[in-house]
Amino acid sequence: IIVWPFPDEPLRKIASSAKAVIVPEMNVGLMVREVERAVAGSCPVYSVRRLDSDILTPSQIVEKIKEVA
């Protein structure tokens, strides 16, 4: 999936008031790099990745939220 044009400005605006951004992905981290570029250091960006054929579970995402909170 390609997100074009990437929503740099809306993401940057949200990130400026966020403690962190968490990017769930079912790949090796393709989207997290775009998010890091867009937020330009305004907050930390964390990835929750899954590389096998199983789907990320809500509990895996919640676990990452608790880890970075």
Side-chain angles (χ1 to χ4, degrees):
I1 295 175
I2 296 174
V3 180
W4 185 260
F6 196 78
D8 290 344
E9 280 303 315
L11 190 53
R12 193 172 294 123
K13 184 177 179 181
I14 291 167
S16 70
S17 61
K19 183 176 177 182
V21 173
I22 296 174
V23 183
E25 295 190 79
M26 298 287 297
N27 59 48
V28 294
L30 304 174
M31 189 58 64
V32 74
R33 286 183 266 175
E34 283 299 309
V35 173
E36 288 171 334
R37 182 191 58 76
V39 303
S42 60
C43 72
V45 177
Y46 299 95
S47 180
V48 179
R49 297 179 189 159
R50 185 107 194 208
L51 301 175
D52 55 21
S53 61
D54 291 334
I55 296 175
L56 276 167
T57 64
S59 62
Q60 289 171 307
I61 298 168
V62 169
E63 183 179 318
K64 180 58 88 171
I65 292 169
K66 290 178 180 178
E67 179 184 316
V68 303

